[in-house]
Amino acid sequence: KESCRSFPCGGLAHSAAKILSAVSQSNCQQGTERYSGGAKERALKKRDDGDPLNEQDVSVLDGTGCAWCGEQLSRAHKRAKSVYCNQSCAEEGRLRRGGRFASKNIRTAIFALEGGQCSLCNVDAQQIYEQVLALQPSERLNKLLGAKWKLPRSACAVQKLLNNPKEGDFWQVDHIKAVSTGGGNCGLENLRTLCVPCHQRETEKLRSTLKLQGGPWEKGKPRSEEARKRKQAD
């Protein structure tokens, strides 16, 4: 309401998330790193590099400071063995610190907003996945063909999809502005749901664009600007 803007009914949740995320990240700088890390990651890097640690670094490393912002944890948070000082830090940290569960946390957050529906073609990829999963392997191909789903190119990949379908075979979380072009270190405002066929097309388009521009992409994998300059120097 305070934004004085109108939003389509179907995209209200995502629009609200983008506004809130943009406010929380007004002081954040995007880059070509997928995850920025929080106070704990910065403290760990300083320690590993042999740089002097300040009081905040020490408190974060010993578990008395927030892993995202570095502020002191309250007694209640310490008793609960929480690593974040509030809900906002918890949400930002789960999305942007990286680590073992980062991808799962991001998928969970985007699914809560978009429900597995592709932002480009509007197909409900999650629904197709659930319907395919409920069928016997021998019935799955007809279902996919009936849904006009683009099958993988190789016979081996098709067989794997039919025998053991996974949620990630149907939809992926995509960076609207690609990490390789400066869209890393982002929140929900730069993320969207794409069905796997659309995600593959967008990836191919990005690869072609970067190749034409001499961008940081080699053998299908994005490279940092620093790595690209080293290769050119060699």
Side-chain angles (χ1 to χ4, degrees), residues 32-218:
T32 55
E33 296 296 328
R34 185 171 296 272
Y35 303 112
S36 63
K40 186 170 185 177
E41 285 70 35
R42 292 191 292 271
L44 287 169
K45 188 178 187 305
K46 289 170 69 173
R47 187 185 67 182
D48 294 342
D49 292 345
D51 297 333
L53 303 178
N54 56 35
E55 291 184 8
Q56 187 179 83
D57 297 328
V58 173
S59 68
V60 169
L61 292 176
D62 67 18
T64 61
C66 176
W68 176 249
C69 72
E71 295 297 321
Q72 282 291 314
L73 296 174
S74 67
R75 291 182 180 178
H77 284 91
K78 291 175 184 177
R79 285 196 298 269
K81 297 183 179 180
S82 173
V83 297
Y84 299 110
C85 62
N86 56 51
Q87 184 63 27
S88 176
C89 282
E91 292 174 355
E92 289 294 311
R94 289 170 187 148
L95 288 176
R96 298 172 54 210
R97 282 183 62 203
R100 182 179 177 185
F101 301 106
S103 295
K104 181 179 179 181
N105 291 336
I106 290 173
R107 284 184 67 90
T108 300
I110 289 296
F111 182 76
L113 291 172
E114 300 181 341
Q117 181 173 342
C118 181
S119 297
L120 293 183
C121 70
N122 294 321
V123 67
D124 192 335
Q126 178 68 20
Q127 183 182 67
I128 294 176
Y129 160 66
E130 291 173 356
Q131 291 174 347
V132 168
L133 188 64
L135 298 173
Q136 294 298 318
S138 59
E139 302 171 313
R140 289 170 178 165
L141 180 58
N142 285 335
K143 174 61 185 178
L144 290 171
L145 293 175
K148 298 182 180 180
W149 189 261
K150 183 178 180 181
L151 297 174
R153 295 178 181 178
S154 71
C156 181
V158 171
Q159 199 62 38
K160 183 178 179 181
L161 176 63
L162 297 178
N163 290 332
N164 189 25
K166 303 290 186 184
E167 188 180 80
D169 296 328
F170 291 83
W171 64 271
Q172 292 289 330
V173 176
D174 179 65
H175 285 76
I176 299 171
K177 181 178 181 181
V179 174
S180 56
T181 58
N185 182 21
C186 69
L188 296 176
E189 83 290 344
N190 191 43
L191 299 173
R192 62 182 175 180
T193 301
L194 290 186
C195 66
V196 166
C198 283
H199 188 262
Q200 291 173 342
R201 283 194 293 271
E202 290 298 300
T203 301
E204 288 299 325
K205 285 166 57 178
L206 174 63
R207 183 181 289 113
S208 299
T209 299
L210 291 177
K211 283 184 177 180
L212 288 173
Q213 296 175 349
W217 200 294
E218 181 184 22

